[in-house]
Amino acid sequence: MKACLCMSLDKSAELEIVDLPDPEPGPNEVVVRVEACALNFFDTLIIRAKYQYKPDLPFSPSAECAGVVESIGADVTGFQPGDRVMAYICWGAAREKVRVPENLLVPIPDDVSFDIAAGLSVTYGTTLHAFKDRGDLKPGETVAVLGASGGVGQAAVEIATIMGANVIACASSQEKLEFAKRLGASHTVDYSTQPLKDSLKDLTNGKGIDVVYDPVGGDLAEQALRATAWEGRFLVIGFAAGEIPKIPLNLPLLKSCDIRGVFWGAAVDRDPDGHRANMRQLLDWVKDGKLKPHIHATYPLEQISDALEQIAARKVLGKVIVHP
């Protein structure tokens, strides 16, 4: 089988397409023929040892995939060869076949494409977990989404809208904000030209934001926290700006608001049943036409380096899919 392997962790982040033996399933494992895998921003970090997970070399990037069960190991009871499945596996999906523990697989309905299913786990899984399990988002509340055109930002605009929230999309250009409006945002803030805190306050008539969704960090985090409402919730998703902010703790005291961490990857391990329930919810929304994930581009496996460069340069609006 063909596989993309990261061979070094220096600045070059050397990726090679190599031939490897086909995997064989062990007990409680399934071999999946990968029809599509997805790339995320953290893939640009993991290949340079800048992410919290640091796999041993060589390894394949891509944490999420969709495909068809090819073979099953002993004690596998929930799947059979030919089943359509999706999985989140931390890394290793950028190859033609992958060995996956049975408990990480989620069935895909026949009317959901492999490309769409491959890109649901990380960005949409993170976001549904953030709003439902961590943010206690209620219909009618106001959500501010920072980095609203990126992978998780796009998902946040869409899912908050589906959940009945009033969404304010915040991004660094009018092009990105127009994209967010097409996804369902009611209002927008260009924080490259507008003061974020004042703009969010103005858009809520001084009340403030019920739930802030922040995958950006940096200087924007404190501005958004200062714009939260009484008993608001500030969701810490990540730090795409590259800087982990230092928040004055008097701010949550004065607003009686919460700062809540969202570590989706750990939540998948700690609550696999909850993860599978969230995946089923996302697939149902796709099947019913409520959720329509935008795919920015698809690439063959041989062009995965080009795809990662586009993500690193922040030129991507939506998901990037690779076909092994």
Side-chain angles (χ1 to χ4, degrees):
M1 68 169 181
K2 289 190 300 182
C4 170
L5 292 183
C6 180
M7 308 300 291
S8 69
L9 296 174
D10 58 17
K11 290 182 69 174
S12 65
E14 181 183 359
L15 299 177
E16 294 183 9
I17 307 300
V18 303
D19 287 316
L20 296 177
D22 287 353
E24 295 291 336
N28 300 302
E29 290 183 336
V30 169
V31 170
V32 177
R33 184 178 74 247
V34 178
E35 299 291 340
C37 62
L39 298 176
N40 296 278
F41 181 75
F42 66 75
D43 286 300
T44 70
L45 304 177
I46 199 171
I47 62 175
R48 292 180 172 84
K50 294 182 178 179
Y51 194 57
Q52 60 233 36
Y53 297 128
K54 294 179 172 60
D56 295 332
L57 292 170
F59 67 91
S60 295
S62 179
E64 51 186 341
C65 63
V68 177
V69 172
E70 185 166 273
S71 59
I72 61 175
D75 303 320
V76 171
T77 59
F79 297 93
Q80 295 293 328
D83 287 349
R84 305 173 80 247
V85 294
M86 58 186 283
Y88 165 72
I89 59 172
C90 293
W91 64 82
R95 50 181 62 197
E96 290 182 317
K97 298 178 184 180
V98 65
R99 187 170 57 229
V100 182
E102 179 185 14
N103 65 348
L104 298 183
L105 294 174
V106 176
I108 304 173
D110 290 340
D111 43 5
V112 176
S113 73
F114 290 119
D115 284 7
I116 293 296
L120 282 179
S121 292
V122 174
T123 55
Y124 290 91
T126 295
T127 302
L128 183 55
H129 170 63
F131 285 142
K132 181 172 76 72
D133 304 327
R134 301 293 295 139
D136 301 320
L137 180 61
K138 302 174 184 63
E141 290 190 315
T142 299
V143 172
V145 178
L146 309 190
S149 68
V152 288
Q154 169 194 343
V157 172
E158 292 175 286
I159 290 177
T161 300
I162 291 171
M163 294 178 71
N166 175 40
V167 179
I168 302 174
C170 309
S172 60
S173 73
Q174 285 302 310
E175 177 192 8
K176 294 176 179 179
L177 293 173
E178 287 300 319
F179 176 67
K181 286 178 70 174
R182 294 196 296 272
L183 297 175
S186 301
H187 303 282
T188 62
V189 175
D190 182 345
Y191 46 60
S192 70
T193 60
Q194 299 171 263
L196 181 60
K197 184 195 82 169
D198 294 342
S199 298
L200 294 177
K201 284 281 194 177
D202 290 345
L203 287 170
T204 57
N205 297 316
K207 174 182 179 292
I209 303 298
D210 296 304
V211 178
V212 173
Y213 183 97
D214 181 15
V216 180
D219 294 338
L220 295 173
E222 183 176 330
Q223 296 180 52
L225 182 62
R226 289 181 180 275
T228 56
W230 178 258
E231 296 186 343
R233 287 86 75 202
F234 184 99
L235 302 179
V236 181
I237 310 299
F239 312 103
E243 179 186 346
I244 298 176
K246 296 178 175 59
I247 299 295
L249 288 180
N250 65 311
L251 295 179
L253 183 153
L254 293 172
K255 293 175 172 290
S256 197
C257 68
D258 294 346
I259 299 175
R260 301 184 184 181
V262 181
F263 191 176
W264 174 77
V268 171
D269 292 335
R270 291 170 179 267
D271 183 16
D273 290 340
H275 163 65
R276 284 189 291 270
N278 283 349
M279 291 300 103
R280 288 193 295 269
Q281 176 66 84
L282 293 171
L283 288 166
D284 285 344
W285 281 340
V286 172
K287 187 174 60 174
D288 295 341
K290 295 180 180 179
L291 180 62
K292 300 176 181 178
H294 176 74
I295 295 176
H296 176 83
T298 60
Y299 292 81
L301 188 65
E302 292 76 10
Q303 294 179 16
I304 192 170
S305 293
D306 297 336
L308 288 166
E309 287 177 8
Q310 291 294 305
I311 295 172
R314 306 189 189 282
K315 296 180 178 179
V316 168
L317 298 176
K319 294 296 298 189
V320 170
I321 302 298
V322 173
H323 293 151

